[in-house]
Amino acid sequence: DEGLLHTLVRKAAHLSLYFVLGTLTYIGGWFNIRSTCKTIIMTLAVSIGYAFIDEFHQYFVPGRSCELRDVLIDSAGALIGTLVCLGVQEFYKKRSGKAKA
């Protein structure tokens, strides 16, 4: 079904773009904050806040809709990006610990 494919592509785009936003926000936050917990909180607050603002803005745009489902998809993308950053960070911590031993 062409409509279903169109919807899936659009939702995948939401997820992908917010994955990038979450990743870049985490990286930028880490180099400024240097606290994993605070960086995670800041990353998710910025990304989820932006998702809400983006959907609210779409309410006023003709032909667009304001959907909580999109906020959830966007938030999931940001969370996945954050988790990937944490995984890469942990990998390098363990790798550098083995190199010193």
Side-chain angles (χ1 to χ4, degrees):
D1 182 42
E2 190 174 306
L4 177 63
L5 180 62
H6 179 71
T7 300
L8 289 174
V9 168
R10 287 180 50 228
K11 300 309 175 191
H14 271 267
L15 189 83
S16 301
L17 291 172
Y18 278 82
F19 172 87
V20 172
L21 176 64
T23 301
L24 294 177
T25 304
Y26 184 88
I27 293 168
W30 173 251
F31 283 109
N32 287 295
I33 297 172
R34 292 288 184 186
S35 165
T36 302
C37 186
K38 288 179 183 178
T39 303
I40 291 169
I41 292 168
M42 184 273 310
T43 298
L44 295 178
V46 167
S47 300
I48 294 169
Y50 190 80
F52 272 107
I53 291 169
D54 186 37
E55 287 302 310
F56 179 71
H57 165 260
Q58 288 181 25
Y59 179 77
F60 301 102
V61 177
R64 302 296 302 265
S65 63
C66 177
E67 296 182 18
L68 181 60
R69 175 179 56 178
D70 285 343
V71 173
L72 295 174
I73 293 169
D74 297 343
S75 300
L79 178 62
I80 293 167
T82 302
L83 292 174
V84 167
C85 287
L86 288 170
V88 169
Q89 193 175 19
E90 192 62 29
F91 171 79
Y92 279 107
K93 269 188 205 174
K94 286 182 180 180
R95 185 174 173 208
S96 65
K98 287 180 183 177
K100 291 179 183 177

